[in-house]
Every structure is written in structure tokens, then in C-alpha cells.
Amino acid sequence: MGTPEQARPTLWEPQPGPQSLAIAAQFVDELMFGGARGGGKSDYLLGDYLQDTDQGSVWQGIIFRRSYPELEELIKRAREIFPWYGAIWKVADKTFVFPGGATLKMRHVETESDCDKYQGHQYTWIGWDELTNWPDLKSYKKLKACLRSAAGVKNKRIRSSANPGGIGHHAVKAYFVDPAPKGMELLTNTDEDGYTTTRMFIPSKVYDNKLLLDNDPGYISRLREIGSPELVRAWLEGDWNVITGSYYPEFSVEKHVIAPFKMPEHWVRFRAADWGSAKPFCILWLAIVSEAYEMPDGRFLPTGSIIVYREMYGWNGTPNVGIRWSATKVAQEIKRAEHGDRITYGVLDPAAFSRDSGPSHAERMATEGVMFRRADNNRIGGWDIVRDRLCGIDGDAERNYGVGVPMLYFFKGCVHIIRTLPAMQHDINDPEDCDSDGEDHAPDTLRYGCMSRPWRRPKPIPPDSRLKLLQNATMNDLWASNDKED
């Protein structure tokens, strides 16, 4: 059996294409390599760290997953690659140590508070595996402060991998993907002191991983069998515009988002609100369609359906981060937005009625003339009512009037409820509920509003019980119909 020296040809090398481009981009401060399953993301992270271990003890790296068990596959792969470079795996320390003194720690960070354990640490390379597993980028950004070197090491950098979907989908997409959806574009940011940093998104697809496909030709075929077409697109093509595992797969921009129009004055209008300070607050204004109504595009809104026609979202431009407005300020902005509206009532997150430290948020808003009552906070029941309204009236179009017509609509200007509702994920501990670690403030607000206007999806009308058109009905038809109703 050959010695490690005789086996040198098996040393790790990046594959041609996106992986090689990402490895060569040492000059980029933050790089996210991601997209499809099987795109070689884990190998990329290990290889990117590995290429600078010849700097010796000044090259100090750390790589994170959200839980330690999630690190097992990454550690296993590193133990296949790193020994060829003389690295030793220190089990107790969970650290790889290289002959020249370079180290790579394997660690987990579940919540932002876990980052405090690394206060004062210095690293020249920081990695994040499966970045969308975190609900936001707070931990990621907090640990940027650890990227430093007293030895003046060049090309200090942060590297991450991610797949579309997951609880942090929107945060990662907003930071890395949305500014340059096709990737391969250097983005710059200059702070108030004039210091410029760079970041880049390099997309990867399973087709780029030739080694995987050569060794496992059936991998793509198995991916195609995993479930919905949306999930296949996300995992096979790395499509960031597809949200996998959504709590509301029923939501459709085509079906539920409509162009604004002047609504009749007599329609009941009300508001719903979710309080937030460090996290975003949300106000939604809703209208009830009092009679079947033809929209300008020719579609009909059914009687009793709800339109979300306006929103106010208290964020600072970063997903899931609030603007810390006072209750008084929020109330003043609500009054300004409602100028000319006739609002019948308002429902508010019950937590906003807490009086633990003086007047509640609800009381302070009431002082400004913005009145709310406590919203019904039944989570499971509320999510179910939202789902019923999204699904609308069921049945066969030839056998039931108004079939397939939703009972819930959104004006296209309500961008945050449209953005966050389809991104909601199932809670892994309670599949009937959604994961509250995500950006759920607008969906919570919608739930409060829908709970204040209960609606039950009607049962389909059997074909033999449908009343004939009035002009063709006989008296026997009318009597028979009346008897069945009784």
C-alpha cells in the first residue's frame, strides 16, 4: 500500500468552473458560494481555507454550522482531505492543526447570543456552512468583528455556502443574491469612515460537480424525484426565486396579487397590527368586499373576500430588523396614512397590551386617537383561516359557481406581506405551526385580521342538487330545493 507521499496526486483541487472561480477570488472580503444541491459547496469551503495554510500560525480559521451534529459530514470530509497536508484532528478541541501552526476550528452557533463566546477572538478566515439555516444574518454580521489579524495577514476573508430555501432564505438572498441575481459581480460597500469592503455571490449547480456525476450518475435522477417542481428547481437548478418548504404553498402572485383600484366607499375597512421595536412592526389595512365586484381586469371578487390594500412596515431595510419607533410615533404615522379613510375597527397583537412597565403600547397609541382591540392570537386556527381564504372556493368549475376564486387578495404595493408570506417555513417541532424564528411579522398581522372576519370554505354543491336557472325552473324544482334546505 502506498505512502501518503506516493499518493500526492490525490491532493484536493478545485473543479473547473464556479468552484475554481470562487477559490481564485481571495481578494473578495465576503463570498457566498451557493445554489443547487451537489454543487460542491462543502468542498469549496474546505479548499478555500486550505490554500493559505502555508502562512503558518498566523492563518487561523473557524467554520460554523447551526448545531454541532450538522458539522459531522463536514468534519468527515475534512478528515479525508486534510491529512494529506499533514493536518491532525484534535478531537477534544474540535480543531484541525497543520504542521506550520495553521488551525481550523469546527464550531456551532445556534443563536446570536452564542456569538458572545467568541468576543475577543481573532481569525483570518471565517466560514459558514449552509447559511440559510440561520433565521437571519445577525450572527454572521456580529462575528465579522472577529475577522482581524495583528500580524497584517492579507486576504482575510469570510466564506459561506447556502442552498435556496430554509428559514434564512430571504436574508441571504437580500444580502448576496438580489443585488446581482446572476452572480459573478463584485459588490462594494463604503462605510462612514470611507473604508470599502467587497462581497460576491458565485452560483453553483449540480451540473458543475463533474466528480459527483461521474461517481454517481443517478444523482440528478433522484433529485428529480424529491417532490414538487418548485423543490426540484431549487435543488437542481439553484433557483433563488423558488421558496421550498413553504408553509403556504397555496400562495400565488398570479392569483392573489392584484393591481390597486378605487374601492367602493361603503366597503368596510379595518386595520390589523403586530407590534415590534427591535424587530419590525407591521400595520395592514384590509377591506371587505360586500358584494361580488368586477375588477378593472375583468376578474370578479367574491362577496366576503378580503383585500389587503395598504401596509406600513417598520424595518431598517435589513430583513427582520426593526426601526425602534415609539408607540406614539407609530400611531402618528398610522393617522397620517389613514387620512380620508373610514376605519371601522383595529386589532392588535395582544402582547402590545402588556402594562409591565407603565402604559402599554396600545394605550399610548389610543392616546393619539388610534384605537385597537386585542387580536385573537390562536396561531393554529388563525393560520388555517388564512389558508382557507388563500384556497378560496373549491369544486368543479362546471358544478359550482365561483370555483377556485380566492377569498384573500393583496394590492401589489403591499410588498412585505407579499415577500414574507410565501417564505414562511414549518416549525420542525410542531409541523402544524410555522417557524416563529423567521420574518413572520406581516403574516402574523394578516392572521390577526383574518381571525377578526371568520370565513368557512363552503362545501361543493352536488350536481343533482343544483337549482336550475330560475327562468327554466318548475314549481316542483323550487319545492324540492326548499325541502332539501329544510
Side-chain angles (χ1 to χ4, degrees), residues 94-106:
K94 300 180 178 62
T95 302
F96 287 95
V97 180
F98 288 78
T103 62
L104 178 63
K105 297 178 179 179
M106 313 296 274

Side-chain angles (χ1 to χ4, degrees), residues 82-215:
F82 288 173
W84 298 111
Y85 297 84
I88 299 173
W89 170 238
K90 300 285 189 179
V91 177
D93 297 331
K94 300 180 178 62
T95 302
F96 287 95
V97 180
F98 288 78
T103 62
L104 178 63
K105 297 178 179 179
M106 313 296 274
R107 297 292 189 268
H108 73 278
V109 164
E110 183 176 0
T111 65
E112 184 185 1
S113 62
D114 293 334
C115 298
D116 296 337
K117 296 182 293 187
Y118 301 94
Q119 188 173 359
H121 288 210
Q122 294 187 36
Y123 301 101
T124 51
W125 187 94
I126 299 175
W128 297 82
D129 194 22
E130 300 295 352
L131 191 56
T132 49
N133 283 359
W134 283 269
D136 50 48
L137 293 181
K138 288 184 179 180
S139 296
Y140 175 91
K141 293 183 177 180
K142 193 170 189 177
L143 287 176
K144 279 187 182 183
C146 294
L147 189 71
R148 58 184 188 273
S149 171
V153 173
K154 295 182 179 179
N155 293 331
K156 299 183 298 295
R157 55 192 183 269
I158 301 173
R159 296 296 182 259
S160 59
S161 72
N163 290 318
I167 193 171
H169 174 98
H170 271 296
V172 174
K173 182 173 181 285
Y175 190 66
F176 283 107
V177 181
D178 287 345
K182 294 185 178 180
M184 306 294 186
E185 183 177 334
L186 189 66
L187 306 171
T188 61
N189 179 68
T190 303
D191 66 15
E192 58 187 15
D193 296 322
Y195 184 76
T196 298
T197 56
T198 57
R199 69 181 186 275
M200 181 183 288
F201 160 53
I202 292 185
S204 68
K205 298 182 179 180
V206 65
Y207 303 102
D208 300 317
N209 193 343
K210 303 299 183 185
L211 288 177
L212 171 65
L213 299 183
D214 289 344
N215 293 327

